[in-house]
């Protein structure tokens, strides 16, 4: 691998130089910022200045380590998923070169330095928690001459699916998440540019959560239905996280310490949802809208009581409620969710379910980490497809599965275990 | 107008009730947030907690006042522009009803309360500086039976333009800007929903700047070329701001205290820009890339010296440099810029200027406020169209002009001066 420390040098090394490590470049430009100006206006609530808390823009998540950083980092406010199709001549050696090049871009830019041959290193100086996670589809693993796990490929068909090719599949994937949209835009472009000789972009999906500074830290996100979404999710600080997420001895050797990502694009019918009152919404989910607590009481993190009966003799939580259907007894048999809302302009002429001009095109980028897609994701998704009251207002329109290799140390690259 | 203070009530009043003020609703739901969780991970730079600085999410910009708040507020990290075409039967009275309804939505949601008949008021509780600015095209002013200013209509054609209908025109417009994408998404949907009986959405354009917390407050934004963009921009705290922006006695009476918005969608050819070194970039702009200072020295806010000569006898700043062509002697003859970057997925099969698969679809939503489009915006744009070195890499692909009525007080509505 090339040296990763470098001085500012805007000459553009050739790809050959880059791949062979012959370039002395690396644009870690020190950028002098302009003078500050007063921003508060008369009559406005004073803006809490980011300065007083330390700048979130300067926050970095280490790139190197045993696991890829994007799996364990706090999800940033913005996410961009880019999927690629490999070019026909991207063979084992070219695949290795591509993964090396993108790893180098990611290792630099997530730490606030420009990519090699980055002509806008100014856009990289404040990464705001930017992370990159690389994923591989079945085709990429086969081209590397390695053994794909059984589950690596399209999910089994579910009756609720209305999948569109433009949001599905892919030979490889990168997920960028962080708190700053400019930093993400810049790195996504660097990665797409440096992929040109190896792969074409198959699709891109962008999502958002509440901005940095909007909610107290640790608040569970709300999706665009207004639901608290992900209350029972495990975090890296939880004991069961590792057993749920990290591939172990059951996986091909190259994947150990890695995981898998399922990404589902789920369209949400907000016009229909608006016709349902709060009681109906809470019944569909099994949780209170106001605070995400189970309908059987307590607070957001308390377990559901699926046995508790109401005055009419029925269970308080409908057995077909989303939270009831998604639940697993053993957390390690579950998944770790990574949810982002999407909201993209309505296509011209699009109609809603009633034939009126559509007003919104919104949904959820439902990502999930699990060590084994077949044993963890698929059984849960089967239960949801069979019966989940929420299905009335949600439709999966995209689906993709990727193996997430383990992390790498300085001097290595993500995916190196495929070539060992 | 309806009372704007209200208790939480999820029953959905009819549109007739809304318009006649008969609804007691108003969903200012108190939302109990879930317990906090530790978010920091071992090895990460500690995340500065938003909590310690006060929550930016709770920041509100007052809606009522002599001017519309979005013109004077610090630009939020995210902007959504929605343009509308009026339905044929939206006559004077219906136009008034529509503007009343949208004003009520905006007055509530920007202050952290749900809109009337808002079924996701939970998404409104932390507006993060959300503002709404209403604009009117020529057709809307005519339907109100009022006098449009001469400049209200399409701009004169410029030779550099490659305008697309899907990003141009509109009978009316709302601009939402604020620091939180979820808050913007929610309000944009409320406004589009409440417009259904009056207008159709013509286009939507979304843009971003650096996130709240990324840069020290007062830092000038960088566009996706990496340029410091807007160094000489006036802010409301500057003496010349009012004379530049607020329409006075030369304008039709209904517009006094208002302004105008020109929105241009400017595609940026980043692949071409990447082939230009730093010197070429700085020559094209007339400013240093690193800090935005004029090439004739000083700091970002210092004036350009267009007379200073270099060793070769030529002026240091090329007379065709962007900053030189855009400059005005009298700030009050200039404009106040509101810039947002855009970055949207490349359309399938799109090619770049060299015929290769395109990797990016990026540009700038160039907004400008001025009291008179014909006297301020058009002469500047003519100078830029005639000669601006930046034109090599930029192409205007959308264009729209709106009159921005003055603000209103509690009980009034934006646009009420049209009906006086």
């Amino acid at each position: 691998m090339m040296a990763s420390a470098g001085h500012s040098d805007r000459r553009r090394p050739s790809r050959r130089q880059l791949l062979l490590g012959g370039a002395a470049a690396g644009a870690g430009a020190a950028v002098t910022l302009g003078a500050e100006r007063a921003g508060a206006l008369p009559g406005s609530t004073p803006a809490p200045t980011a300065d007083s808390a330390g700048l979130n823009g300067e926050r970095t998540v280490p790139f190197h380590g045993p696991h890829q950083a994007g799996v364990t980092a706090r999800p940033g406010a913005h996410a961009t998923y880019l999927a690629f199709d490999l070019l026909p001549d991207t063979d084992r050696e070219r695949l290795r070169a591509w993964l090396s090049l993108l790893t180098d871009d990611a290792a630099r830019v997530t730490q606030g330095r420009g990519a090699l041959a980055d002509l806008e290193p100014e856009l990289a100086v404040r990464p705001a928690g930017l992370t990159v996670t690389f994923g591989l589809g079945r085709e990429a693993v086969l081209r590397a001459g390695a053994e794909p796990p059984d589950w690596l490929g399209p999910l089994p068909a579910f009756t609720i699916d209305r999948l569109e090719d433009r949001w599905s599949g892919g030979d490889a994937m990168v997920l960028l998440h962080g708190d700053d949209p400019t930093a993400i835009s810049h790195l996504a472009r660097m990665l797409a540019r440096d992929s040109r000789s190896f792969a074409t972009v198959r699709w891109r999906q962008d999502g958002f959560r509440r901005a940095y500074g909007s909610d107290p830290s640790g608040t569970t996100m709300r999706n665009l239905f207004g639901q608290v979404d992900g209350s029972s999710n495990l975090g890296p600080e939880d004991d069961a996280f590792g057993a749920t997420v990290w591939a172990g001895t059951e996986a091909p050797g190259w994947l150990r310490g890695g995981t898998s990502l399922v990404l589902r694009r789920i369209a949400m019918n907000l016009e229909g949802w608006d016709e349902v009152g709060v009681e109906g919404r809470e019944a569909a989910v099994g949780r209170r809208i106001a605070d995400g607590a189970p309908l059987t009481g307590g607070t957001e993190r308390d377990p559901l009581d699926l046995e508790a009966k109401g005055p009419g003799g029925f269970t308080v939580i409908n057995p077909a409620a989303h939270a009831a259907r998604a639940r697993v007894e053993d957390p390690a048999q579950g998944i770790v969710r990574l949810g982002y809302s999407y909201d993209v302009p309505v296509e011209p002429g699009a109609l809603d379910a009633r034939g009126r001009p559509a007003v919104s095109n919104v949904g959820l980028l439902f990502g999930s980490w699990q060590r084994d897609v077949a044993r963890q994701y698929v059984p849960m998704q089967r239960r949801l497809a069979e019966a989940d009251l929420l299905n009335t207002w949600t439709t999966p329109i995209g689906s993709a599965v990727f193996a997430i290799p383990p992390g790498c140390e300085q001097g290595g690259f993500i995916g190196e275990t495929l070539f060992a």
Side-chain angles (χ1 to χ4, degrees), chain A:
Chain A
M1 284 296 293
M2 53 215 108
S4 61
H7 58 282
S8 180
D9 182 338
R10 309 298 185 82
R11 285 169 305 163
R12 305 200 311 143
S14 70
R15 175 169 305 281
R16 184 173 170 79
Q17 281 175 309
L18 288 177
L19 296 178
L20 298 181
V31 171
T32 309
L33 288 156
E36 295 192 19
R37 296 182 106 187
L41 293 169
S44 299
T45 318
T49 59
D51 312 41
S52 62
L55 272 176
N56 187 51
E58 290 166 3
R59 187 169 58 89
T60 55
V61 177
F63 179 79
H64 295 105
H67 308 298
Q68 291 199 61
V71 183
T72 52
R74 170 177 68 74
H78 299 274
T80 288
Y81 289 90
L82 277 177
F84 297 92
D85 286 334
L86 296 175
L87 293 177
D89 61 352
T90 300
D91 58 12
R92 186 168 193 270
E93 282 315 303
R94 293 184 61 75
L95 182 63
R96 182 212 290 261
W98 181 43
L99 292 171
S100 299
L101 184 61
L102 295 197
T103 296
D104 188 67
D105 287 344
R108 289 167 181 271
V109 178
T110 57
Q111 305 309 303
R113 294 177 290 129
L116 273 184
D118 189 338
L119 277 164
E120 291 86 30
E122 303 82 10
L123 299 180
V125 290
R126 293 208 172 82
L130 181 60
T131 66
V132 182
T133 306
F134 295 91
L136 300 170
R138 191 169 197 89
E139 179 66 19
V141 175
L142 292 173
R143 290 211 200 170
E147 176 199 356
D150 294 341
W151 46 257
L152 187 57
L155 294 176
F158 300 105
T159 51
I160 54 173
D161 288 356
R162 299 290 178 274
L163 303 184
E164 301 176 31
D165 201 46
R166 63 176 169 158
W167 308 121
S168 300
D171 295 339
M173 180 278 313
V174 290
L175 159 62
L176 285 65
H177 70 74
D179 284 329
D180 188 89
T182 302
I184 290 177
S185 170
H186 171 252
L187 179 53
R189 182 170 160 267
M190 289 298 101
L191 296 176
R193 182 197 69 174
D194 285 347
S195 297
R196 270 189 143 150
S197 304
F198 307 97
T200 55
V201 174
R202 178 181 175 88
W203 48 253
R204 175 178 134 193
Q205 302 191 52
D206 300 325
F208 57 87
R209 301 161 74 101
R210 297 302 298 267
Y212 168 80
S214 281
D215 283 337
S217 65
T219 302
T220 307
M221 75 173 271
R222 286 182 186 272
N223 62 33
L224 296 179
F225 278 166
Q227 299 168 303
V228 177
D229 192 327
S231 298
S232 59
N233 215 19
L234 294 172
E237 69 283 5
D238 292 309
D239 292 339
F241 184 87
T244 306
V245 165
W246 305 128
T249 51
E250 80 290 355
W254 64 267
L255 188 56
R256 287 174 201 159
T259 183
S260 66
L261 173 77
V262 174
L263 177 64
R264 305 270 290 176
R265 187 176 181 94
I266 300 176
M268 290 163 47
N269 173 4
L270 270 169
E271 285 74 30
W273 185 249
D274 270 356
E275 293 168 2
V276 182
V278 172
E279 280 183 31
R281 293 173 173 211
E282 293 186 333
V285 181
R287 293 182 176 277
R288 291 202 299 253
I289 294 291
D291 62 359
L295 292 183
T296 41
T299 62
E300 186 194 348
R301 307 277 177 204
D302 284 326
L304 309 174
D305 181 348
L306 297 180
E307 308 299 324
K309 299 274 198 322
F314 295 103
T315 54
V316 173
I317 296 178
N318 189 316
H322 178 76
R325 297 296 292 179
R327 202 178 69 119
V328 289
E329 289 292 336
D330 173 5
Q333 295 305 313
I335 60 170
V336 172
R337 303 180 49 170
L338 179 70
Y340 283 93
S341 297
Y342 71 80
D343 179 353
V344 296
V346 170
E347 281 128 69
L351 302 178
D352 72 9
R354 285 182 168 185
R356 302 171 299 188
V359 300
S360 53
N361 186 359
V362 301
L364 186 70
L365 301 183
F366 178 103
S368 78
W369 309 113
Q370 55 281 306
R371 66 183 192 292
D372 186 316
V373 173
R375 295 189 189 184
Q376 294 166 276
Y377 181 86
V378 171
M380 179 209 67
Q381 184 57 58
R382 278 224 175 88
R383 289 197 304 277
L384 295 177
E386 283 164 14
D388 171 2
L389 295 174
L390 263 191
N391 290 342
T392 310
W393 305 280
T394 59
T395 309
I397 59 173
S399 184
V401 177
F402 301 99
I404 308 295
C408 67
E409 298 304 324
Q410 190 107 29
F413 65 96
I414 303 290
E416 62 192 1
T417 52
L418 287 166
F419 303 92

